[in-house]
Amino acid sequence: MLNEIYKEYGEYFYVPMTQGYSIAIPITVGCSWNKCLYCDLNQGNKYRFLGLEEIDRRLKILKDYYSNRHRTVKKVVMAGGNPLCLDTNILIEIIKLIRYYFPHVDNISGFARANDILRKSKDELLRLKALGVGELSIGIESGNNEVLAFHNKGVTREDNYLALTRLEQCNISYSTYIMLGLGGRKLSKKHAIDTAKFLSEFNPDVIIVVTLVLFKNAKLVEKVRTKEFIRLRPLESLKEEKLLIENLNLKNTIFNGTHKTNALILKGRLPQQKDILLDKIHRELEEYNNEDMKDKEVLKWKRWSVE
């Protein structure tokens, strides 16, 4: 039953890490931008909106599925690369459908790009918040403009700054995604420091840290082959993460570095557990064995269907 619901999303059906226990509602397929060099999460799917009629049909199936399991659905995530790109009036109609089938829902989340947020006025965002939209996941990736431009992210540090500012003005909760290794060896230090400085200007609920992997169909593959982009080894990635944490000055944010692409599993609250996280990285660096980690890295890349 659920395979039919999520059939367009392929092998890597990716929802925000903060929403692992939310019910995914198919809304869009693919990403409206879909030009980032490093990304192939959409597996060639062109962006499209499923439409209200199809969403309604799938919601009926999901309601029956969870009703039969006597589960009260309270949190849902709108599936797709960035469903917040949809017009506000369409999003409101979608939310009405969600609430019709799942009347106890108290939070509706999803991925969003900075320009999705910036295309919406403060009043529009407040309308969405009033209907339960929150815990959005924003792919910041880097606080360095040179890194963002190289990977054709389609937004700048300034765009990301304005988007997060608008969310905080509207008191809409959010998490941010940051990608270790995105600057390669050339920009590793700038990437870490500038990203830390950027994040320190805000108060995200969670900072989710992942590590760059090379998907076999990503446009970045050619840059790696020509050595225009040199990837970090796990040891270098750990050092970059250490530099990132050292330069973070946050009020009350969870640092979640538990993604399977990372060389080391880390999670803690900042600033309260900053020293604990840094000590764990320090101990890992001291015990580091290049050959062992190289083998682990190769296995990790194989798991992610890479070159």
Side-chain angles (χ1 to χ4, degrees):
M1 179 186 288
L2 293 185
N3 287 339
E4 170 66 18
I5 294 292
Y6 304 120
K7 60 185 179 182
E8 293 91 350
Y9 296 98
E11 182 181 0
Y12 301 121
F13 179 28
Y14 201 74
V15 297
M17 283 184 67
T18 55
Q19 303 303 315
Y21 294 102
S22 297
I23 304 304
I25 311 296
I27 303 297
T28 61
V29 176
C31 169
S32 65
W33 175 247
N34 200 33
K35 297 177 183 178
C36 298
L37 292 188
Y38 58 84
C39 186
D40 186 38
L41 280 175
N42 297 301
Q43 304 164 74
N45 283 322
K46 291 185 177 180
Y47 170 79
R48 64 187 176 92
F49 170 47
L50 292 178
L52 293 173
E53 185 176 338
E54 180 61 18
I55 292 169
D56 181 83
R57 185 184 76 83
R58 298 193 193 196
L59 278 166
K60 288 178 184 176
I61 297 172
L62 286 168
K63 180 189 177 183
D64 290 342
Y65 179 85
Y66 288 104
S67 293
N68 291 336
R69 283 155 180 77
H70 306 290
R71 176 176 174 182
T72 300
V73 175
K74 292 188 175 182
K75 292 167 71 74
V76 303
V77 54
M78 295 185 289
N82 60 323
L84 263 288
C85 72
L86 293 170
D87 180 81
T88 300
N89 289 329
I90 294 293
L91 286 170
I92 289 172
E93 292 303 312
I94 291 169
I95 293 169
K96 287 179 180 177
L97 285 174
I98 291 171
R99 291 197 168 281
Y100 175 77
Y101 288 104
F102 298 111
H104 299 291
V105 162
D106 56 25
N107 190 78
I108 300 167
S109 64
F111 281 118
R113 288 170 50 82
N115 46 15
D116 299 335
I117 296 163
L118 294 177
R119 278 195 293 266
K120 291 173 174 40
S121 67
K122 186 176 179 180
D123 285 344
E124 287 177 294
L125 289 171
L126 288 171
R127 287 170 67 196
L128 293 174
K129 175 183 166 56
L131 290 170
V133 171
E135 299 181 24
L136 298 177
S137 290
I138 318 299
I140 298 299
E141 321 301 0
S142 178
N144 180 276
N145 270 334
E146 191 174 352
V147 173
L148 294 173
F150 177 84
H151 287 280
N152 198 26
K153 180 67 178 173
V155 295
T156 64
R157 174 192 174 98
E158 292 70 31
D159 294 329
N160 285 329
Y161 182 93
L162 291 172
L164 296 193
T165 298
R166 190 168 294 178
L167 288 179
E168 294 200 350
Q169 287 173 343
C170 295
N171 198 29
I172 295 175
S173 56
Y174 67 92
S175 60
T176 60
Y177 269 77
I178 300 302
M179 189 174 292
L180 297 175
L182 200 61
R185 285 184 181 165
K186 178 182 175 183
L187 295 174
S188 178
K189 185 175 181 180
K190 287 184 177 180
H191 171 52
I193 292 175
D194 289 350
T195 301
K197 287 181 178 177
F198 176 86
L199 292 171
S200 297
E201 298 189 59
F202 297 98
N203 191 37
D205 289 345
V206 186
I207 294 171
I208 300 166
V209 178
V210 300
T211 299
L212 174 71
V213 293
L214 192 64
F215 290 96
K216 63 182 179 181
N217 293 319
K219 296 173 185 175
L220 184 60
V221 169
E222 187 58 29
K223 303 283 187 183
V224 171
R225 285 177 177 156
T226 61
K227 300 192 184 318
E228 184 179 349
F229 183 88
I230 299 175
R231 291 176 290 174
L232 300 186
R233 305 298 295 177
L235 176 62
E236 296 168 316
S237 179
L238 277 173
K239 289 179 177 178
E240 182 176 281
E241 188 170 24
K242 179 174 179 286
L243 188 59
L244 171 72
I245 295 173
E246 286 173 340
N247 285 275
L248 282 171
N249 293 291
L250 297 159
K251 296 176 183 178
N252 188 29
T253 295
I254 294 172
F255 183 94
N256 185 347
T258 63
H259 195 270
K260 64 181 180 180
T261 56
N262 296 340
L264 178 65
I265 300 302
L266 284 176
K267 189 173 184 180
R269 187 172 291 278
L270 298 176
Q272 297 92 325
Q273 296 176 310
K274 185 173 184 176
D275 289 342
I276 295 173
L277 296 180
L278 289 173
D279 182 64
K280 188 171 182 179
I281 294 177
H282 177 72
R283 283 187 278 112
E284 184 75 5
L285 290 173
E286 284 188 333
E287 298 172 2
Y288 199 93
N289 181 298
N290 281 315
E291 289 305 312
D292 287 348
M293 290 303 294
K294 181 179 178 181
D295 291 341
K296 290 178 184 178
E297 184 180 29
V298 170
L299 287 173
K300 174 182 67 181
W301 286 346
K302 284 182 179 178
R303 285 198 300 271
W304 279 82
S305 301
V306 297
E307 177 196 20

